[in-house]
Amino acid sequence: MNDASHKIPGVRPAIRPLDEAAVNRIAAGEVIERPAAAVKELVENALDADARRIEVAQAEGGKTLIRVTDDGHGIPAEDLPQAVARHATSKIDGSDLLNIASYGFRGEALASIGAVARLSIASRAAGAEAAEIAVEGGRVGQVRPAALRRGTVVELRDLFHATPARLKFLRSDRAEAQAIGDVVRRLAMAEPFVSLTLTDVSGGGEKVSFRADAETGDLFDALAGRLTRVLGAEFVRNALRVEAEREGLRLTGYAGLPTYSRGAAVAQHFFVNGRPVKDRMLLGALRAAYMDVLPAGRHPAAALYIDCPAELVDVNVHPAKSEVRFRDPGTARGLVVSALRHALAEAGHRAATTVAGAALGAARPGAPGAPRYQMDRPSAAARAASYQAQAPAPGDAEPGFAETAGAWSARVEPVEEAPHGAEETPAEALPLGAARAQLHETYILAQTEDGLVIVDAHAAHERLVYERLKAQLAENGVAAQALLIPEVVEMPEPARGRLLDAAEDLARLGLVIEPFGGEALAVRETPALLGEVGARGLLADVADALEETGTAAGLEARLMAVLSRMACHGSVRAGRRMRAEEMNALLREMEATPLSGQCNHGRPTYVELKLADVERLFGRR
């Protein structure tokens, strides 16, 4: 029967207050939507109690048991009834809801949990006796003595037993356990000086799912240790230290190199005043900072912490406090973008270690032959006879590489040695080493002191040209060269219209165009840095860049997209043979240019292999 069938036509239903149990269950729907949300609230309460050690236990994904034990300052016995009452808290006095310096403050978490589950709290404050209280289905029990040395133990059993319909919307035990683990890990990242442990006690067993001991040292050392434990050592090895401050906001943390990117935005973590948040504005700032160093479909990895006075941020804009609102969003966004771009620029040509790992993984050794046992090997006498038979006759020269060159299919151009004393530092001692050969007119092979480097010459030079164009634009516009005879290019109307609409911006980039009747455009000036370029191909690429960025994109995004396409026309082309001095000059410029570790499309420009890695490929170690 439809719920509205009981209504009497023409009779207005009376307005009446809901009973306390219904109010608490409604509040629980806002705050405790799944077991992980309950864990979040309870662990945050422990952190607000200045706990230094927190242990979380769960069974069946938190559906049957959640227990949080801490060594915080505890709750006096006389305050336990108030602790499970709605809108009762010790963290604020209600006079200023914008000056929040704690995790929790709504006063609804424990009351909401008690409305939908069996809740018990045992606590002992300093200098007082331990006591406990129980809540079941919203009914609060009496305060009783308890046995507890210090801190608080909150135990939650049979979540949603009072609202069984909610259980149908929970996922599998494994999925809910994973969500709890994610919550604990995020809070562990937020508090590196606190020890956190997560244990699975399903089925009567006890399995530690996550453990992070309290870190020591300064802030960055502690963050590095905790991020290594949570995100993995690979992230920290391939991350840049970020530190900046602006108008009362301080940003610290680590951001991954562009070549250490992910296929999804799953490794992006923001913390505001120690609170894990998923804020759209901050995530957008992160994307903007990596705008021209990542390919489409790749996402940066970062763990960034913003600290500011409480009055500069409102954390009470979301029931679960997962979003925040800054008093001046532009300042916060600008801080994130500028700090990350500065860190990326300072990284220079550095690329992620995972690039070399992928290269080594792609180099698969051939299938091993049949094992040879000692008795299969020729004897010493047989080996001596073999050597004697292969020895050259007296007067015959030992064949060298020149005599056997015809047997090799690969061609390696010799590289002239630099004149003695031309460089104080040997080229091999520099980060990208000394060029030794060009392979397939595309790749530069360089030797370093402890390995080798393979450089994609076109991709590397494309980035170098792009960075030069950006520097010129930032100073006073890109220098242009006038064509002796303007080049007339026929363009289809949609592309022609986009180019003419952006003509003023293109002039700042050194590309001067004007209509020439019909569907034609006249190109009068081109960027000087590109040298001699084909106007038709250049205009086609610029039109494509304008279409991809769209009219909704900011001016900076559109200009950078156009510059990136232009840079491709002024870079070394694959298939062009390079001289030794050209290759070494390219390597030196890469070492001095920011962001040269990846091309304009975000792909790595070089792969570095250590000698030990090469030796492992050949089974030498």
Side-chain angles (χ1 to χ4, degrees):
M1 180 181 293
N2 190 290
D3 291 340
S5 60
H6 70 282
K7 294 182 180 179
I8 302 174
V11 177
R12 180 180 60 82
I15 298 175
R16 58 184 182 276
L18 295 173
D19 60 63
E20 189 69 17
V23 170
N24 284 340
R25 284 196 291 270
I26 292 172
E30 290 184 348
V31 182
I32 312 298
E33 73 273 14
R34 64 189 305 187
V39 171
K40 174 182 177 292
E41 296 287 345
L42 297 180
V43 174
E44 287 180 348
N45 280 344
L47 292 171
D48 283 337
D50 295 328
R52 298 292 92 186
R53 185 178 184 85
I54 302 173
E55 297 176 358
V56 181
Q58 63 86 17
E60 282 77 44
K63 299 173 187 176
T64 59
L65 172 68
I66 295 173
R67 182 171 59 245
V68 177
T69 305
D70 69 68
D71 61 353
H73 51 59
I75 305 173
E78 60 272 18
D79 287 345
L80 283 175
Q82 290 295 329
V84 295
R86 292 193 69 218
H87 304 305
T89 180
S90 62
K91 301 171 185 178
I92 60 173
D93 60 9
S95 60
D96 186 1
L97 293 181
L98 295 180
N99 188 13
I100 306 297
S102 59
Y103 280 106
F105 57 87
R106 291 168 61 89
E108 292 180 352
L110 292 176
S112 300
I113 293 172
V116 296
R118 297 181 175 91
L119 172 70
S120 67
I121 305 174
S123 189
R124 182 173 186 173
E129 295 295 325
E132 66 177 346
I133 193 170
V135 183
E136 182 172 346
R139 296 186 298 274
V140 181
Q142 297 295 317
V143 176
R144 300 176 299 174
L148 189 66
R149 297 179 63 181
R150 62 175 300 184
T152 303
V153 178
V154 180
E155 189 169 280
L156 169 62
R157 291 186 177 274
D158 301 329
L159 184 63
F160 298 132
H161 85 95
T163 53
R166 294 289 300 276
L167 291 171
K168 299 177 182 178
F169 293 92
L170 296 182
R171 300 175 65 184
S172 66
D173 292 354
R174 181 186 296 273
E176 295 298 340
Q178 178 64 43
I180 291 175
D182 291 343
V183 165
V184 173
R185 286 175 172 82
R186 281 198 298 271
L187 290 170
M189 293 167 63
E191 296 286 347
F193 297 106
V194 177
S195 172
L196 278 98
T197 304
L198 173 61
T199 305
D200 187 344
V201 295
S202 302
E206 189 168 319
K207 177 184 177 182
V208 176
S209 306
F210 173 78
R211 182 191 300 277
D213 296 327
E215 303 293 337
T216 58
D218 64 14
L219 175 61
F220 277 99
D221 288 343
L223 286 179
R226 183 54 56 89
L227 295 177
T228 297
R229 181 68 187 86
V230 178
L231 300 180
E234 196 173 80
F235 168 78
V236 176
R237 281 198 299 267
N238 295 288
L240 306 170
R241 176 170 164 169
V242 180
E243 186 174 14
E245 192 167 354
R246 177 186 295 182
E247 298 181 23
L249 276 68
R250 184 168 184 264
L251 177 68
T252 55
Y254 288 89
L257 289 163
T259 43
Y260 182 79
S261 58
R262 307 293 291 272
V266 295
Q268 300 175 358
H269 304 276
F270 275 95
F271 304 85
V272 177
N273 287 348
R275 185 188 306 278
V277 298
K278 290 186 177 181
D279 187 83
R280 288 189 294 272
M281 185 272 292
L282 295 176
L283 293 174
L286 179 62
R287 288 193 300 271
Y290 283 80
M291 178 180 60
D292 65 345
V293 293
L294 283 183
R298 303 298 295 180
H299 303 269
L304 300 173
Y305 301 75
I306 297 178
D307 293 288
C308 63
E311 61 269 15
L312 296 184
V313 60
D314 184 2
V315 298
N316 194 23
V317 296
H318 189 275
K321 300 183 288 294
S322 60
E323 297 180 10
V324 295
R325 181 181 295 129
F326 289 94
R327 177 179 293 179
D328 187 353
T331 299
R333 187 183 188 280
L335 174 65
V336 172
V337 173
S338 62
L340 287 175
R341 288 184 176 174
H342 183 71
L344 290 171
E346 284 192 334
H349 69 280
R350 182 181 167 195
T353 59
T354 51
V355 175
L360 290 170
R364 303 293 184 190
R372 297 186 64 185
Y373 300 98
Q374 185 64 37
M375 65 281 295
D376 297 331
R377 299 183 181 182
S379 64
R383 290 199 301 271
S386 176
Y387 294 152
Q388 184 67 31
Q390 296 174 9
D396 291 345
E398 190 76 45
F401 285 117
E403 288 74 19
T404 60
W408 304 97
S409 60
R411 181 186 58 76
V412 178
E413 290 293 331
V415 175
E416 297 178 5
E417 295 291 338
H420 181 68
E423 292 186 28
E424 295 183 2
T425 303
E428 290 87 346
L430 296 171
L432 295 181
R436 286 289 177 259
Q438 185 185 15
L439 308 178
H440 298 285
E441 285 77 38
T442 302
Y443 304 101
I444 297 172
L445 179 63
Q447 177 179 323
T448 62
E449 284 188 321
D450 59 351
L452 59 91
V453 171
I454 305 172
V455 179
D456 184 334
H458 171 70
H461 195 234
E462 186 177 343
R463 168 58 72 175
L464 299 180
V465 173
Y466 181 35
E467 292 302 322
R468 287 186 215 155
L469 289 171
K470 286 165 59 178
Q472 287 187 8
L473 178 63
E475 290 177 5
N476 48 19
V478 176
Q481 59 183 358
L483 301 182
L484 185 62
I485 300 176
E487 189 168 347
V488 179
V489 179
E490 294 282 341
M491 297 290 294
E493 183 49 42
R496 180 178 181 273
R498 285 193 296 271
L499 290 168
L500 289 176
D501 289 342
E504 185 176 344
D505 294 332
L506 295 179
R508 292 175 54 198
L509 305 180
L511 181 60
V512 177
I513 61 174
E514 60 184 33
F516 197 74
E519 294 186 346
L521 291 173
V523 181
R524 295 195 173 276
E525 297 179 21
T526 59
L529 189 59
L530 303 186
E532 185 177 347
V533 296
R536 183 178 304 276
L538 179 60
L539 286 186
D541 273 359
V542 170
D544 289 344
L546 292 172
E547 182 180 14
E548 287 177 4
T549 53
T551 56
L555 176 60
E556 182 186 13
R558 300 182 73 201
L559 293 180
M560 292 304 106
V562 172
L563 280 184
S564 178
R565 294 297 181 94
M566 288 182 173
C568 188
H569 286 263
S571 58
V572 174
R573 292 294 181 181
R576 176 182 174 275
R577 190 173 299 181
M578 300 176 67
R579 301 188 307 275
E581 55 267 27
E582 287 183 295
M583 292 188 283
N584 280 310
L586 180 64
L587 298 177
R588 302 293 80 82
E589 190 170 356
M590 286 178 65
E591 292 165 352
T593 301
L595 309 174
S596 61
Q598 57 280 322
C599 72
N600 303 357
H601 315 292
R603 296 186 295 270
T605 57
Y606 72 92
V607 175
E608 181 178 11
L609 300 178
K610 299 299 183 183
L611 188 58
D613 297 326
V614 178
E615 289 174 341
R616 272 193 289 270
L617 283 176
F618 290 95
R620 298 175 67 92
R621 62 163 58 199

